[in-house]
Amino acid sequence: PFVEMILKLCNKVLVPVAIGQGLRTTPMKDVYSNNSKKFKRLQEYILLGIVWNAFCNAFTKGMGLGAKQSATLLVLLPTLHLTAFSGLLCFFTSKLVNCTREDAVSATFCASQKTLAFGLPLISTLFEGNPNLAAYSAPIMLMHPTQLILGSILVPKLRQFIMQGNKGTE
């Protein structure tokens, strides 16, 4: 079963990434560059389809979570995300790492993101056939919109943080 699981993960995650990276060295890169807005829109639709499918499966089979657990997740996930985000920002702006403010904000956003596109295939492969699959998928399905909302709220403050640093270096 372990080798089967690894092969499924490779087919679901690594093969598409490898194909995409391989296509970057071919004339397809020019096709992508010339139609980047259309490909970006296609990417968004595919991600939306993945999320829609996961939510439908979760609600059809039942999330396996009661109201109390769902409420706890809805409070805990944003709190954990903001805490991790703040901690990472402090780390990347510390003298130990010595990043610029722009780099610190970029690194913080990248480090704190849990990607739905990789997380759901990973969870569905690891726990395939498990009746609690929906409950295992719930945190990442709730975390993705939480990250989008919190990220949108934080952008003005982070922009101000970067601008204050740029004023100090002029």
Side-chain angles (χ1 to χ4, degrees):
F2 180 74
V3 174
E4 272 181 46
M5 179 183 62
I6 297 297
L7 290 174
K8 283 181 187 178
L9 279 175
C10 287
N11 285 333
K12 287 182 178 181
V13 178
L14 293 179
V15 170
V17 169
I19 290 171
Q21 292 299 316
L23 287 174
R24 296 178 88 182
T25 62
T26 68
M28 282 301 293
K29 183 177 183 179
D30 296 330
V31 172
Y32 176 80
S33 297
N34 295 334
N35 299 294
S36 62
K37 287 184 180 182
K38 292 177 185 174
F39 279 106
K40 183 68 175 167
R41 181 68 57 177
L42 177 64
Q43 175 187 339
E44 290 169 358
Y45 285 138
I46 290 171
L47 184 59
L48 181 63
I50 291 169
V51 173
W52 180 260
N53 184 26
F55 269 102
C56 288
N57 287 337
F59 287 109
T60 301
K61 297 174 184 172
M63 288 280 254
L65 300 173
K68 187 176 181 181
Q69 290 90 355
S70 296
T72 302
L73 272 179
L74 288 174
V75 170
L76 190 61
L77 289 176
T79 304
L80 288 174
H81 189 68
L82 283 173
T83 303
F85 194 89
S86 300
L88 287 167
L89 189 60
C90 288
F91 173 72
F92 287 121
T93 54
S94 71
K95 300 270 188 239
L96 178 69
V97 180
N98 199 23
C99 287
T100 64
R101 287 182 177 222
E102 292 90 346
D103 290 342
V105 170
S106 297
T108 301
F109 262 103
C110 291
S112 68
Q113 296 296 311
K114 306 291 176 255
T115 61
L116 194 61
F118 282 116
L120 281 177
L122 179 68
I123 291 170
S124 64
T125 301
L126 289 174
F127 298 105
E128 188 174 19
N130 189 314
N132 296 323
L133 179 61
Y136 300 149
S137 301
I140 198 166
M141 288 190 304
L142 294 172
M143 192 60 163
H144 186 74
T146 301
Q147 289 171 333
L148 294 175
I149 293 166
L150 290 177
S152 298
I153 292 169
L154 290 172
V155 164
K157 289 288 185 191
L158 293 172
R159 182 179 295 129
Q160 183 181 8
F161 171 74
I162 290 171
M163 293 303 168
Q164 286 173 347
N166 290 341
K167 288 179 185 174
T169 58
E170 292 176 349

